[in-house]
Amino acid sequence: MLSDNLKNRRKAQGLSQDELASRVHVVRQTISKWENGLSVPDSDMLPRLAEALDTSVSMLLAEPAAPEEETQIQAVAAKLAYLTEQWEKRSERRRKIWRGIFILLGLIAVLALFSVLTDSIPYQAVIKEYSDGISVIGGYNGATNIYIANSVLQTGVPVAALAAIAVSAVGFYKTRRK
């Protein structure tokens, strides 16, 4: 009774015989004798043992757990294992969804950046033609001024696309399987 309860409580608390011995101010061999049933602790030692093992004296002196209590514990453990499995599946599903969202965001941003860059190619050709072919002392003509104003307004799309690509890359990295 006492020896089994003492050993089970010590192991449940994750204590070694040395650690328990130092808590109740005895040597390790004394704990070993108590657990093997070769001796029993004094009556004044029982409260210190109970306190060190975070239990009561009556629990230390009680009969070991009945088999039906063990089956109840096993049933609770099985339910906890099932709930943990369900939580892991849900977490994995959420990780995959977020990973897909980040991939999609990155693709859209790359396409938007590509679209803006390909749209600017004709404008760049016009600018080059004006700057190479015509020498204007007073500045650029009206068409070129419109292009410059238009290109200043369009710089927001590439900047937003680059920011979205960066966010997508970080999100893609953070949602990897660890």
Side-chain angles (χ1 to χ4, degrees):
M1 283 192 300
L2 174 66
S3 58
D4 293 334
N5 290 341
L6 184 62
K7 188 177 202 175
N8 292 337
R9 263 325 270 179
R10 177 183 61 80
K11 287 183 177 183
Q13 292 289 321
L15 298 172
S16 67
Q17 287 182 343
D18 285 326
E19 292 169 331
L20 179 59
S22 67
R23 285 187 181 187
V24 294
H25 308 292
V26 296
V27 294
R28 184 200 57 81
Q29 290 80 1
T30 304
I31 301 293
S32 177
K33 286 181 183 179
W34 292 342
E35 288 182 356
N36 290 321
L38 300 176
S39 68
V40 293
D42 295 333
S43 59
D44 62 333
M45 180 60 70
L46 285 173
R48 286 194 291 180
L49 274 172
E51 183 180 333
L53 295 171
D54 195 27
T55 189
S56 65
V57 174
S58 60
M59 290 300 292
L60 285 177
L61 297 174
E63 290 291 324
E68 64 185 46
E69 287 179 17
E70 289 179 15
T71 57
Q72 289 175 350
I73 291 172
Q74 290 172 347
V76 169
K79 287 179 183 177
L80 284 174
Y82 174 76
L83 290 174
T84 301
E85 180 183 336
Q86 293 300 314
W87 181 80
E88 288 173 354
K89 284 180 182 177
R90 189 173 77 185
S91 295
E92 179 67 14
R93 192 171 36 244
R94 284 183 179 172
R95 184 193 69 78
K96 286 180 179 179
I97 288 170
W98 277 109
R99 193 166 179 95
I101 289 170
F102 286 124
I103 290 171
L104 185 62
L105 175 67
L107 288 174
I108 291 170
V110 166
L111 290 174
L113 187 61
F114 181 72
S115 173
V116 168
L117 291 177
T118 56
D119 285 348
S120 70
I121 291 173
Y123 294 118
Q124 295 297 329
V126 168
I127 292 280
K128 179 144 176 64
E129 185 178 320
Y130 276 118
S131 65
D132 289 345
I134 302 173
S135 140
V136 179
I137 294 176
Y140 291 106
N141 64 11
T144 307
N145 288 336
I146 292 171
Y147 168 72
I148 291 171
N150 188 23
S151 67
V152 169
L153 292 175
Q154 287 184 354
T155 57
V157 174
V159 169
L162 290 174
I165 289 171
V167 167
S168 175
V170 169
F172 184 77
Y173 175 76
K174 290 289 189 177
T175 57
R176 73 189 187 284
R177 189 174 284 138
K178 296 176 183 171

